[in-house]
Coordinates of all heavy atoms in Angstrom, one line a residue:
M1 N 101.4 77.7 106.2 CA 100.2 77.4 105.7 C 99.3 78.6 105.5 O 98.5 78.7 104.5 CB 99.5 76.5 106.8 CG 98.2 75.9 106.4 SD 98.6 74.6 105.2 CE 97.0 73.8 105.2
K2 N 99.5 79.7 106.3 CA 98.7 80.9 106.1 C 99.1 81.6 104.9 O 98.3 82.1 104.2 CB 99.0 81.8 107.4 CG 98.2 83.1 107.4 CD 98.5 83.9 108.7 CE 97.6 85.1 108.7 NZ 97.8 85.9 109.8
F3 N 100.4 81.5 104.6 CA 100.8 82.1 103.3 C 100.2 81.4 102.1 O 99.8 82.1 101.1 CB 102.4 81.9 103.2 CG 103.0 82.4 101.9 CD1 103.0 83.8 101.7 CD2 103.4 81.5 101.0 CE1 103.6 84.2 100.5 CE2 104.0 82.0 99.8 CZ 104.0 83.4 99.6
L4 N 100.1 80.1 102.1 CA 99.5 79.3 101.0 C 98.0 79.7 100.9 O 97.5 79.8 99.8 CB 99.7 77.9 101.2 CG 101.0 77.2 101.0 CD1 101.0 75.8 101.3 CD2 101.5 77.6 99.6
N5 N 97.3 79.9 102.0 CA 95.9 80.3 102.0 C 95.7 81.7 101.3 O 94.8 81.9 100.5 CB 95.2 80.2 103.3 CG 95.0 78.8 103.8 OD1 94.9 77.9 103.0 ND2 94.9 78.7 105.1
E6 N 96.6 82.6 101.7 CA 96.5 83.9 101.1 C 96.8 83.9 99.7 O 96.2 84.7 98.9 CB 97.5 84.9 101.9 CG 96.9 85.2 103.2 CD 97.7 86.2 104.0 OE1 98.3 87.1 103.3 OE2 97.7 86.2 105.3
C7 N 97.8 83.1 99.2 CA 98.2 83.0 97.8 C 97.0 82.4 97.0 O 96.6 82.9 96.0 CB 99.3 82.1 97.6 SG 100.9 82.9 98.0
F8 N 96.3 81.4 97.5 CA 95.2 80.7 96.9 C 94.0 81.7 96.8 O 93.4 81.8 95.7 CB 94.8 79.5 97.7 CG 93.6 78.8 97.1 CD1 93.9 78.1 95.9 CD2 92.3 78.7 97.7 CE1 92.8 77.4 95.3 CE2 91.3 78.0 97.1 CZ 91.6 77.4 95.8
K9 N 93.8 82.5 97.8 CA 92.7 83.5 97.8 C 93.0 84.6 96.7 O 92.2 85.1 96.0 CB 92.4 84.2 99.1 CG 91.8 83.3 100.1 CD 91.5 83.9 101.4 CE 90.8 83.0 102.4 NZ 90.5 83.6 103.7
S10 N 94.2 85.0 96.6 CA 94.7 86.0 95.7 C 94.5 85.5 94.2 O 94.1 86.2 93.4 CB 96.2 86.4 95.8 OG 96.3 87.0 97.1
I11 N 94.9 84.2 94.0 CA 94.7 83.6 92.7 C 93.2 83.5 92.4 O 92.8 83.8 91.2 CB 95.4 82.2 92.7 CG1 96.9 82.4 92.7 CG2 94.9 81.4 91.4 CD1 97.6 81.1 92.8
Q12 N 92.4 83.2 93.3 CA 90.9 83.1 93.1 C 90.4 84.5 92.7 O 89.6 84.6 91.8 CB 90.2 82.6 94.3 CG 90.2 81.1 94.5 CD 89.4 80.7 95.7 OE1 89.5 81.3 96.8 NE2 88.6 79.6 95.6
T13 N 90.8 85.5 93.4 CA 90.3 86.9 93.2 C 90.8 87.3 91.8 O 90.0 87.9 91.0 CB 90.9 87.8 94.2 OG1 90.5 87.4 95.5 CG2 90.4 89.2 94.0
G14 N 92.1 87.0 91.4 CA 92.5 87.3 90.1 C 91.7 86.7 89.0 O 91.4 87.3 88.0
I15 N 91.4 85.4 89.2 CA 90.6 84.6 88.2 C 89.2 85.3 88.1 O 88.6 85.4 87.0 CB 90.6 83.2 88.5 CG1 92.0 82.6 88.2 CG2 89.6 82.4 87.6 CD1 92.1 81.1 88.7
A16 N 88.6 85.5 89.2 CA 87.3 86.1 89.3 C 87.2 87.5 88.5 O 86.3 87.8 87.7 CB 86.8 86.3 90.7
I17 N 88.2 88.3 88.7 CA 88.4 89.6 88.1 C 88.5 89.4 86.5 O 87.8 90.1 85.8 CB 89.5 90.4 88.6 CG1 89.2 90.9 90.0 CG2 89.8 91.6 87.7 CD1 90.4 91.5 90.8
I18 N 89.3 88.4 86.1 CA 89.5 88.2 84.7 C 88.1 87.7 84.1 O 87.8 88.2 83.0 CB 90.6 87.1 84.5 CG1 91.9 87.8 84.8 CG2 90.6 86.6 83.0 CD1 93.1 86.8 84.8
V19 N 87.4 86.8 84.8 CA 86.1 86.3 84.2 C 85.1 87.4 84.1 O 84.4 87.6 83.1 CB 85.6 85.2 85.1 CG1 84.2 84.9 84.8 CG2 86.5 83.9 85.0
V20 N 85.0 88.3 85.1 CA 84.1 89.4 85.1 C 84.5 90.4 84.0 O 83.6 90.9 83.3 CB 84.0 90.1 86.5 CG1 83.3 91.4 86.4 CG2 83.4 89.2 87.5
L21 N 85.7 90.7 83.8 CA 86.1 91.6 82.7 C 85.8 91.0 81.4 O 85.4 91.7 80.5 CB 87.6 91.9 82.9 CG 88.1 92.9 83.9 CD1 89.6 93.0 84.0 CD2 87.4 94.3 83.7
F22 N 86.1 89.7 81.2 CA 85.8 88.9 80.0 C 84.2 89.1 79.7 O 83.8 89.4 78.5 CB 86.1 87.5 80.0 CG 85.9 86.7 78.8 CD1 86.7 86.8 77.7 CD2 84.7 85.9 78.7 CE1 86.5 86.1 76.6 CE2 84.5 85.2 77.6 CZ 85.4 85.3 76.5
L23 N 83.4 88.9 80.7 CA 81.9 89.1 80.4 C 81.5 90.5 80.1 O 80.7 90.7 79.2 CB 81.2 88.6 81.7 CG 81.2 87.1 82.0 CD1 80.6 86.8 83.4 CD2 80.5 86.3 80.9
I24 N 82.1 91.4 80.8 CA 81.8 92.8 80.5 C 82.2 93.2 79.1 O 81.4 93.8 78.3 CB 82.5 93.8 81.5 CG1 81.8 93.6 82.9 CG2 82.4 95.2 81.0 CD1 82.5 94.3 84.1
V25 N 83.4 92.8 78.6 CA 83.8 93.2 77.3 C 82.9 92.4 76.3 O 82.6 92.9 75.3 CB 85.3 92.7 77.1 CG1 85.7 92.8 75.7 CG2 86.1 93.7 77.9
G26 N 82.6 91.2 76.5 CA 81.7 90.4 75.7 C 80.3 91.0 75.4 O 79.9 91.1 74.3
I27 N 79.8 91.5 76.6 CA 78.4 92.1 76.5 C 78.5 93.4 75.8 O 77.7 93.8 74.9 CB 77.9 92.3 78.0 CG1 77.5 90.9 78.6 CG2 76.7 93.2 77.9 CD1 77.2 90.9 80.0
Y28 N 79.6 94.2 76.0 CA 79.8 95.5 75.4 C 79.9 95.3 73.9 O 79.3 96.0 73.1 CB 81.0 96.1 75.9 CG 81.4 97.5 75.2 CD1 80.6 98.6 75.4 CD2 82.4 97.5 74.3 CE1 80.9 99.8 74.8 CE2 82.7 98.7 73.6 CZ 82.0 99.8 73.8 OH 82.3 100.9 73.2
C29 N 80.8 94.3 73.4 CA 81.0 94.0 72.0 C 79.6 93.6 71.4 O 79.3 94.0 70.2 CB 82.1 93.0 71.8 SG 83.7 93.7 72.2
A30 N 79.0 92.7 72.0 CA 77.7 92.2 71.4 C 76.6 93.3 71.3 O 75.9 93.4 70.3 CB 77.1 91.1 72.3
S31 N 76.6 94.2 72.3 CA 75.6 95.2 72.2 C 75.9 96.3 71.1 O 75.0 96.8 70.4 CB 75.4 96.0 73.5 OG 76.6 96.7 73.9
N32 N 77.2 96.5 70.9 CA 77.7 97.4 69.8 C 77.4 96.8 68.4 O 77.1 97.4 67.4 CB 79.1 97.7 69.9 CG 79.4 98.8 70.9 OD1 78.5 99.5 71.3 ND2 80.6 98.9 71.3
A33 N 77.6 95.4 68.3 CA 77.4 94.8 67.0 C 75.9 94.5 66.7 O 75.5 94.5 65.5 CB 78.1 93.4 67.0
H34 N 75.0 94.5 67.7 CA 73.6 94.3 67.5 C 73.0 95.4 66.6 O 73.2 96.6 66.9 CB 72.9 94.2 68.8 CG 71.4 94.0 68.6 ND1 70.4 95.0 68.6 CD2 70.7 92.8 68.4 CE1 69.3 94.4 68.4 NE2 69.4 93.1 68.3
G35 N 72.4 95.0 65.6 CA 71.8 95.9 64.7 C 72.8 96.4 63.5 O 72.3 96.9 62.6
N36 N 74.0 96.2 63.7 CA 75.0 96.5 62.6 C 75.4 95.2 61.9 O 75.5 95.3 60.7 CB 76.3 97.1 63.3 CG 75.9 98.4 63.9 OD1 75.1 99.2 63.4 ND2 76.7 98.8 65.0
T37 N 75.7 94.2 62.6 CA 76.1 92.9 61.9 C 75.2 91.7 62.1 O 75.3 90.7 61.5 CB 77.5 92.5 62.4 OG1 77.5 92.3 63.8 CG2 78.6 93.6 62.0
W38 N 74.3 91.9 63.1 CA 73.4 90.8 63.4 C 72.1 91.3 64.1 O 72.1 92.4 64.6 CB 74.0 89.7 64.3 CG 74.3 90.2 65.6 CD1 75.5 90.7 66.0 CD2 73.5 90.0 66.8 NE1 75.5 91.0 67.4 CE2 74.2 90.6 67.9 CE3 72.3 89.5 67.1 CZ2 73.7 90.7 69.2 CZ3 71.8 89.6 68.4 CH2 72.5 90.2 69.4
D39 N 71.0 90.5 64.0 CA 69.8 91.0 64.7 C 68.9 89.7 64.9 O 69.2 88.7 64.4 CB 69.0 91.9 63.8 CG 68.0 92.8 64.5 OD1 67.8 92.6 65.6 OD2 67.4 93.6 63.8
I40 N 68.0 89.9 65.7 CA 67.0 88.8 66.0 C 65.7 89.3 65.4 O 65.1 90.3 65.9 CB 66.9 88.4 67.5 CG1 68.3 87.8 67.9 CG2 65.8 87.4 67.6 CD1 68.4 87.5 69.3
E41 N 65.1 88.7 64.4 CA 63.9 89.0 63.8 C 63.0 87.8 63.6 O 63.5 86.8 63.2 CB 64.2 89.7 62.4 CG 63.1 90.3 61.8 CD 63.5 91.0 60.5 OE1 64.0 92.1 60.6 OE2 63.3 90.5 59.4
D42 N 61.7 87.9 64.0 CA 60.8 86.8 63.9 C 61.3 85.6 64.6 O 61.1 84.4 64.2 CB 60.6 86.5 62.4 CG 60.0 87.6 61.6 OD1 59.3 88.4 62.2 OD2 60.3 87.7 60.4
G43 N 62.0 85.8 65.7 CA 62.6 84.7 66.5 C 63.8 84.0 65.9 O 64.1 82.9 66.4
H44 N 64.4 84.5 64.9 CA 65.5 83.9 64.2 C 66.7 84.9 64.3 O 66.6 86.1 64.2 CB 65.3 83.7 62.8 CG 64.3 82.6 62.5 ND1 63.2 82.4 63.2 CD2 64.2 81.7 61.4 CE1 62.5 81.4 62.7 NE2 63.0 81.0 61.6
F45 N 67.9 84.3 64.6 CA 69.2 85.0 64.5 C 69.4 85.3 63.0 O 69.4 84.4 62.2 CB 70.3 84.3 65.2 CG 71.6 84.9 65.1 CD1 72.1 85.9 66.0 CD2 72.5 84.6 64.0 CE1 73.3 86.4 65.8 CE2 73.7 85.1 63.8 CZ 74.1 86.1 64.7
K46 N 69.7 86.5 62.7 CA 70.0 86.9 61.3 C 71.2 87.7 61.2 O 71.5 88.6 61.9 CB 68.8 87.7 60.7 CG 67.6 86.8 60.6 CD 66.5 87.6 59.9 CE 65.2 86.8 59.7 NZ 64.2 87.4 58.9
S47 N 72.1 87.4 60.2 CA 73.2 88.2 59.9 C 72.9 89.3 58.9 O 71.9 89.2 58.1 CB 74.3 87.3 59.2 OG 74.7 86.3 60.0
I48 N 73.4 90.5 59.0 CA 73.1 91.7 58.3 C 74.2 91.9 57.3 O 75.4 92.0 57.7 CB 72.8 92.8 59.1 CG1 71.7 92.7 60.1 CG2 72.6 94.1 58.3 CD1 71.4 93.8 61.1
Y49 N 73.9 92.1 56.0 CA 74.8 92.3 54.9 C 74.3 93.5 54.1 O 73.1 93.7 54.1 CB 75.0 91.1 54.0 CG 75.6 89.9 54.7 CD1 74.9 88.9 55.2 CD2 77.0 89.8 54.9 CE1 75.4 87.8 55.8 CE2 77.6 88.8 55.6 CZ 76.8 87.8 56.1 OH 77.3 86.7 56.7
D50 N 75.2 94.2 53.4 CA 74.7 95.3 52.5 C 73.8 94.7 51.4 O 72.8 95.4 51.0 CB 75.9 96.0 51.9 CG 76.6 96.8 53.0 OD1 76.0 97.2 53.9 OD2 77.9 97.1 52.8
N51 N 74.3 93.6 50.7 CA 73.5 93.0 49.6 C 73.9 91.6 49.6 O 74.8 91.1 50.3 CB 73.7 93.8 48.3 CG 75.2 94.0 48.0 OD1 76.1 93.1 48.2 ND2 75.6 95.1 47.5
R52 N 73.3 90.9 48.5 CA 73.6 89.5 48.4 C 75.2 89.2 48.0 O 75.7 88.3 48.5 CB 72.7 88.9 47.3 CG 72.8 87.4 47.2 CD 71.8 86.8 46.1 NE 72.0 85.4 46.1 CZ 72.9 84.7 45.5 NH1 73.8 85.4 44.9 NH2 72.9 83.4 45.5
D53 N 75.7 90.1 47.1 CA 77.1 90.0 46.8 C 78.1 90.0 48.0 O 79.0 89.3 48.1 CB 77.5 91.0 45.8 CG 76.9 90.7 44.4 OD1 76.5 89.6 44.2 OD2 76.7 91.7 43.7
D54 N 77.7 91.0 48.9 CA 78.5 91.1 50.2 C 78.4 89.8 50.9 O 79.4 89.4 51.6 CB 78.0 92.3 51.0 CG 78.8 92.6 52.2 OD1 80.0 92.4 52.2 OD2 78.1 93.0 53.2
C55 N 77.2 89.3 51.1 CA 77.0 88.0 51.8 C 77.9 86.8 51.2 O 78.6 86.1 51.9 CB 75.5 87.6 51.8 SG 75.2 86.0 52.7
I56 N 77.8 86.7 49.8 CA 78.6 85.7 49.1 C 80.1 85.9 49.4 O 80.8 84.9 49.8 CB 78.3 85.7 47.6 CG1 76.8 85.4 47.3 CG2 79.2 84.8 46.9 CD1 76.4 84.0 47.6
K57 N 80.6 87.1 49.3 CA 82.0 87.4 49.5 C 82.4 87.1 50.9 O 83.5 86.5 51.1 CB 82.3 88.8 49.2 CG 82.3 89.2 47.7 CD 82.5 90.7 47.5 CE 82.2 91.1 46.1 NZ 82.4 92.5 45.8
S58 N 81.6 87.3 51.8 CA 81.9 87.1 53.3 C 81.9 85.7 53.7 O 82.6 85.3 54.6 CB 80.9 87.9 54.2 OG 81.0 89.3 54.0
N59 N 81.2 84.9 52.9 CA 81.0 83.4 53.2 C 81.7 82.5 52.2 O 81.6 81.3 52.4 CB 79.6 83.1 53.3 CG 79.0 83.7 54.6 OD1 79.2 83.5 55.7 ND2 78.0 84.7 54.2
L60 N 82.5 83.0 51.3 CA 83.3 82.2 50.4 C 84.3 81.3 51.1 O 84.9 81.8 52.0 CB 84.1 83.0 49.3 CG 83.2 83.6 48.2 CD1 84.1 84.4 47.3 CD2 82.7 82.4 47.4
G61 N 84.4 80.1 50.8 CA 85.3 79.2 51.4 C 84.9 78.6 52.7 O 85.5 77.7 53.2
T62 N 83.6 79.0 53.2 CA 83.1 78.4 54.4 C 82.1 77.4 54.1 O 81.7 76.7 55.1 CB 82.6 79.5 55.3 OG1 81.4 80.1 54.6 CG2 83.5 80.5 55.7
G63 N 81.6 77.3 52.9 CA 80.6 76.3 52.6 C 79.2 76.7 53.1 O 78.3 75.9 53.2
T64 N 79.0 78.0 53.5 CA 77.8 78.5 53.9 C 77.2 79.5 53.1 O 76.3 80.3 53.5 CB 78.0 79.1 55.3 OG1 78.9 80.2 55.2 CG2 78.5 78.1 56.4
T65 N 77.5 79.6 51.8 CA 77.0 80.6 50.9 C 75.5 80.4 50.6 O 74.8 81.3 50.2 CB 77.8 80.7 49.5 OG1 77.8 79.4 49.0 CG2 79.2 81.2 49.8
E66 N 75.0 79.2 50.8 CA 73.6 78.9 50.5 C 72.7 79.7 51.6 O 71.5 80.0 51.2 CB 73.2 77.4 50.6 CG 73.4 76.8 52.0 CD 74.8 76.3 52.3 OE1 75.7 76.4 51.5 OE2 75.0 76.0 53.5
M67 N 73.2 80.1 52.6 CA 72.4 80.9 53.6 C 72.1 82.2 53.0 O 71.1 82.9 53.4 CB 73.2 81.1 54.9 CG 74.3 82.1 54.9 SD 75.1 82.4 56.5 CE 74.7 84.1 56.8
C68 N 72.8 82.7 52.0 CA 72.6 84.0 51.4 C 71.2 84.1 50.7 O 70.7 85.2 50.4 CB 73.7 84.4 50.4 SG 75.3 84.6 51.3
D69 N 70.7 82.9 50.3 CA 69.4 82.8 49.7 C 68.2 82.6 50.6 O 67.1 82.5 50.3 CB 69.4 81.8 48.6 CG 70.4 82.0 47.5 OD1 70.5 83.2 47.1 OD2 71.1 81.2 47.0
D70 N 68.5 82.4 51.9 CA 67.6 82.0 52.9 C 67.2 83.3 53.8 O 68.0 83.7 54.6 CB 68.1 80.9 53.8 CG 67.1 80.4 54.7 OD1 66.0 80.9 54.9 OD2 67.4 79.4 55.5
E71 N 66.0 83.8 53.5 CA 65.6 85.1 54.2 C 65.4 84.8 55.8 O 65.2 85.8 56.4 CB 64.4 85.6 53.5 CG 64.7 86.0 52.2 CD 63.9 87.2 51.6 OE1 63.2 87.8 52.5 OE2 64.1 87.6 50.5
T72 N 65.4 83.6 56.2 CA 65.4 83.3 57.7 C 66.7 83.5 58.3 O 66.8 83.5 59.6 CB 64.7 82.0 58.0 OG1 65.6 81.0 57.5 CG2 63.3 81.8 57.4
Q73 N 67.8 83.6 57.5 CA 69.1 83.7 58.1 C 69.8 85.0 57.8 O 70.9 85.3 58.5 CB 70.0 82.5 57.5 CG 69.5 81.2 58.0 CD 70.4 80.1 57.5 OE1 71.6 80.3 57.2 NE2 69.9 78.9 57.3
V74 N 69.3 85.8 56.8 CA 70.1 87.0 56.5 C 69.0 88.2 56.4 O 67.9 88.0 56.1 CB 70.9 86.9 55.2 CG1 72.0 85.9 55.4 CG2 70.0 86.6 54.0
I75 N 69.6 89.4 56.6 CA 68.9 90.7 56.3 C 69.8 91.4 55.4 O 71.0 91.6 55.6 CB 68.6 91.4 57.5 CG1 67.8 90.6 58.5 CG2 68.0 92.8 57.3 CD1 67.7 91.3 59.9
Y76 N 69.2 92.0 54.3 CA 70.0 92.9 53.3 C 69.6 94.3 53.5 O 68.4 94.6 53.6 CB 69.8 92.4 51.9 CG 70.3 91.1 51.6 CD1 69.5 90.1 51.1 CD2 71.7 90.7 51.9 CE1 70.0 88.8 50.9 CE2 72.1 89.5 51.6 CZ 71.3 88.5 51.1 OH 71.8 87.2 50.9
R77 N 70.6 95.2 53.7 CA 70.3 96.6 54.0 C 69.7 97.3 52.7 O 69.0 98.2 52.8 CB 71.5 97.3 54.3 CG 72.0 97.0 55.7 CD 73.2 97.8 56.1 NE 73.6 97.5 57.4 CZ 74.8 97.0 57.7 NH1 75.7 96.7 56.7 NH2 75.2 96.6 59.0
D78 N 70.0 96.7 51.5 CA 69.6 97.4 50.2 C 68.1 97.1 49.8 O 67.6 97.5 48.8 CB 70.5 97.1 49.1 CG 70.6 95.7 48.7 OD1 69.9 94.8 49.3 OD2 71.2 95.4 47.6
K79 N 67.4 96.3 50.6 CA 66.0 95.9 50.3 C 65.1 96.9 50.9 O 65.2 97.5 51.9 CB 65.6 94.5 50.8 CG 66.3 93.5 49.9 CD 65.7 92.1 50.2 CE 66.1 91.1 49.2 NZ 65.5 89.8 49.3

C-alpha cells in the first residue's frame, strides 16, 4: 500500500511539472508573438500583417478572408 501511495504521488508530481512547463512555454510564446503577429488595440484582438495581400494569402482556404477588410480585426504594417 505504501508503494502505491508513493507511485501515485510521483505521478501527481510529474503531471504538475508538465502542466507548469506547458504554461511557462505558452506564456513565453505569447509574449514573443505579441506585437509581431497580434496585438490588442481599442479593446479588440487584432492580427498583424504586412499588407492586405499578405492577409489574403494567409487566410485563403479558411473562409476568413473577409476579415482583411475589417479594421477592427487586422493591423497592416504598411499603413
Side-chain angles (χ1 to χ4, degrees):
M1 190 70 164
K2 186 177 181 179
F3 176 73
L4 288 177
N5 284 337
E6 288 187 28
C7 286
F8 184 68
K9 286 183 182 182
S10 296
I11 292 171
Q12 279 183 318
T13 303
I15 291 172
I17 289 171
I18 290 171
V19 168
V20 169
L21 286 174
F22 181 78
L23 289 173
I24 290 170
V25 169
I27 291 169
Y28 175 77
C29 291
S31 66
N32 279 343
H34 181 262
N36 294 325
T37 59
W38 66 274
D39 201 358
I40 296 177
E41 189 177 280
D42 302 328
H44 293 34
F45 174 87
K46 296 184 176 187
S47 298
I48 300 174
Y49 297 98
D50 291 332
N51 53 40
R52 187 175 183 283
D53 291 336
D54 183 36
C55 180
I56 296 290
K57 287 177 189 175
S58 296
N59 292 295
L60 276 177
T62 63
T64 59
T65 56
E66 68 275 354
M67 74 175 246
C68 298
D69 296 323
D70 186 358
E71 298 215 0
T72 63
Q73 295 184 24
V74 295
I75 298 172
Y76 296 122
R77 289 187 181 114
D78 66 354
K79 282 193 175 183

